[in-house]
Amino acid sequence: MTDGKWIIDPWEFKTSVYWKIKSVQKRVVVVQGGGQAGKTIGIEQVLGDIAIDEPGSIISVFGMTYDHLDRGALRDFKDLIYNNPAFRILLTNPDAKEGPFILKNRSLIEFIALDKPIKALGAKRTHAFFNEANAISYETYERIALRTSKRIFIDYNPTARFWVHDRVLPFKDTAQGFTVTFMDNEFCPPEAAATLKGYFLKWKETGSPYWENLWRVYGLGKTGIVEGVVFPKINILSKFPDKSELKNFGYAIDWGFTHDPTTLTKCGILKNGQFVGQELIYQTGIHASSFDELLPKYGITKSDPIIADSANMDGIVLLQKKGWNILPADKPPGSVKQGIELLNSSGINLVQGSENWIREQGEYVYKTKLGIIDKSDPVDKSNHCWDGARYFARYAILGLGVNNKKRIQRPTKSYIY
């Protein structure tokens, strides 16, 4: 900032992300970046150099889920192989689907998802890369770091402050961090750059903290604004607790409109009263009828309570007829505010791998009226998983929030069911 104003001009390319990362010599390299900053591919380029220059290296790339890796770090690495013939010729299996990718000098680059317990967490390695680390628990990071002999790389979108700010960056003898933006990525697609610039323009036009936070996080790569965020503090767990550790357990569904996602979340109340949640489904275009086949795939039984948004009673009744213990959430006036206060006062834990839920935390903000944050009126965006959490918390903690009527006649809406 300069004189209280964000620096945005000029919009031109600044400095290569690759060379910024390459210049850091500390054991732990932390890359905080906005949208389309090129931080993941920049780190992978450096890891490729290490694999070539240090024969026999074992390099592990960790992500929240395999789907996340497949859409992000793994896809970027495959593009790196495809676009770099000199690197490709050094690989023994350049066309491998999932890896590990093995070089002729015995170096190895593997991609590991952290959403399920796996033996690889206990294995030794020379280098580790934590992709989107704000969705990974500190417990998992520490366990892997202790078994990494050489260097560690970390990247993330700074939607909110988390363990890297408090437990990694303060140790300046071993760690160094820096921020990159789309202006550091010479290959940023023009359409993506236009979207990011649009966040700034919408903020200046409306003064909305929602657009300001998007611009701050994804445009400037700065840590999200805590003031005005509906859920300012969350804790990341490495796994969902066993039922023996819970006093309440169940699931929640928030139905999506045609262009909004439908969410399914696994929810519980710990014995100390704190909420714990895990994202299972976050998808547009999903029909309620599909849940009859989807629910068993997530280990959900017909005795497990499922609290669902009552706006889609047709979908709820359909699943009730299939034998599912699905209950319509009751949403009286004031229930949004009550649910938010209930979750914040209880304490919130999310399970690593809940990618969209964690992103929503930094984007779900209160409205501003005449420059004052109105904590009774949140912006109705980026709240899909959080709505489900509210339904469950009111049901499990207060014994409220469930409408036992079989069916409520409502005006037809464009919900998918």
Side-chain angles (χ1 to χ4, degrees):
M1 295 179 70
T2 301
D3 298 328
K5 297 180 180 179
W6 299 117
I7 298 173
I8 64 161
D9 290 319
W11 293 109
E12 74 266 11
F13 166 69
K14 304 294 185 183
T15 307
S16 166
V17 176
Y18 166 78
W19 286 111
K20 281 189 174 184
I21 300 167
K22 189 82 170 174
S23 66
V24 179
Q25 299 302 314
K26 299 288 178 70
R27 167 172 161 82
V28 183
V29 183
V30 179
V31 186
Q32 175 170 305
Q36 295 292 330
K39 53 191 180 296
T40 300
I41 189 67
I43 291 174
E44 289 183 332
Q45 287 176 307
V46 172
L47 292 175
D49 291 347
I50 291 170
I52 295 169
D53 297 337
E54 301 178 24
S57 293
I58 300 175
I59 300 170
S60 302
V61 180
F62 295 97
M64 296 173 282
T65 64
Y66 177 75
D67 285 344
H68 173 79
L69 286 170
D70 193 43
R71 289 183 282 109
L74 181 54
R75 178 187 293 177
D76 286 347
F77 188 74
K78 290 178 178 179
D79 287 343
L80 187 62
I81 295 172
Y82 178 80
N83 293 311
N84 191 332
F87 182 53
R88 181 181 178 85
I89 202 170
L90 297 175
L91 290 163
T92 63
N93 59 338
D95 297 315
K97 182 180 179 182
E98 301 177 8
F101 296 88
I102 302 171
L103 278 72
K104 294 174 182 176
N105 68 357
R106 296 176 295 104
S107 287
L108 175 152
I109 301 175
E110 61 184 355
F111 292 79
I112 301 173
L114 293 171
D115 56 337
K116 296 178 181 178
I118 50 175
K119 293 180 180 179
L121 288 180
K124 293 182 179 180
R125 62 194 53 78
T126 57
H127 299 79
F129 170 25
F130 296 87
N131 180 229
E132 300 296 351
N134 50 337
I136 296 171
S137 73
Y138 180 73
E139 174 192 4
T140 298
Y141 166 80
E142 187 177 44
R143 180 179 172 187
I144 294 170
L146 288 171
R147 300 185 71 80
T148 300
S149 61
K150 293 186 178 180
R151 303 186 70 196
I152 296 169
F153 297 82
I154 297 171
D155 78 358
Y156 57 91
N157 286 122
T159 52
R161 190 179 183 90
F162 71 113
W163 53 261
V164 78
H165 298 98
D166 302 316
R167 300 192 183 189
V168 176
L169 287 174
F171 297 93
K172 298 188 182 298
D173 289 344
T174 57
Q176 181 176 338
F178 55 87
T179 299
V180 294
T181 76
F182 68 100
M183 289 177 282
D184 294 307
N185 180 8
E186 58 191 310
F187 302 107
C188 176
E191 299 81 6
T195 297
L196 293 166
K197 295 173 189 178
Y199 294 159
F200 172 81
L201 298 175
K202 288 290 288 185
W203 168 48
K204 298 304 291 184
E205 176 188 346
T206 65
S208 165
Y210 172 78
W211 294 111
E212 179 184 7
N213 202 47
L214 285 183
W215 167 243
R216 179 181 175 87
V217 172
Y218 298 106
L220 296 178
K222 296 181 179 290
T223 304
I225 303 166
V226 173
E227 185 179 12
V229 172
V230 175
F231 297 103
K233 184 174 178 57
I234 63 171
N235 182 47
I236 305 297
L237 301 182
S238 58
K239 63 182 182 67
F240 197 91
D242 294 328
K243 288 185 179 180
S244 61
E245 302 174 61
L246 303 170
K247 59 181 179 181
N248 298 95
F249 172 77
Y251 299 85
I253 293 176
D254 186 55
W255 307 108
F257 290 99
T258 304
H259 299 294
D260 285 336
T262 290
T263 64
L264 171 67
T265 51
K266 186 177 183 179
C267 303
I269 305 300
L270 294 165
K271 289 184 176 179
N272 64 6
Q274 293 187 352
F275 172 85
V276 57
Q278 181 177 8
E279 174 188 327
L280 301 179
I281 294 176
Y282 193 100
Q283 183 179 334
T284 57
I286 187 170
H287 291 244
S289 58
S290 303
F291 277 86
D292 189 44
E293 295 182 0
L294 287 172
L295 295 175
K297 294 180 180 179
Y298 292 95
I300 303 173
T301 70
K302 292 191 174 181
S303 62
D304 290 326
I306 304 169
I307 315 304
D309 181 1
S310 56
N312 185 1
M313 283 304 303
D314 287 336
I316 291 172
V317 170
L318 174 66
L319 291 171
Q320 286 176 339
K321 290 179 178 178
K322 297 283 187 178
W324 293 101
N325 184 21
I326 183 168
L327 307 168
D330 192 26
K331 302 184 294 183
S335 62
V336 174
K337 185 173 185 292
Q338 181 194 52
I340 290 170
E341 291 175 350
L342 182 62
L343 286 166
N344 277 325
S345 63
S346 300
I348 302 168
N349 301 275
L350 300 182
V351 177
Q352 65 185 17
S354 301
E355 174 185 1
N356 296 290
W357 201 340
I358 293 167
R359 173 185 54 79
E360 285 191 350
Q361 185 220 357
E363 297 179 3
Y364 189 26
V365 297
Y366 288 109
K367 292 179 182 177
T368 299
K369 297 179 181 178
L370 300 176
I372 300 172
I373 295 172
D374 181 1
K375 291 195 174 181
S376 66
D377 193 7
V379 177
D380 189 20
K381 292 182 179 179
S382 296
N383 54 358
H384 311 291
C385 290
W386 292 111
D387 282 350
R390 287 193 297 102
Y391 305 150
F392 181 83
R394 293 186 74 241
Y395 160 78
I397 299 175
L398 300 180
L400 301 172
V402 172
N403 193 316
N404 291 313
K405 295 179 181 179
K406 287 186 177 180
R407 187 177 180 89
I408 302 173
Q409 295 295 334
R410 299 179 183 272
T412 302
K413 293 186 178 182
S414 58
Y415 288 93
I416 298 173
Y417 59 86

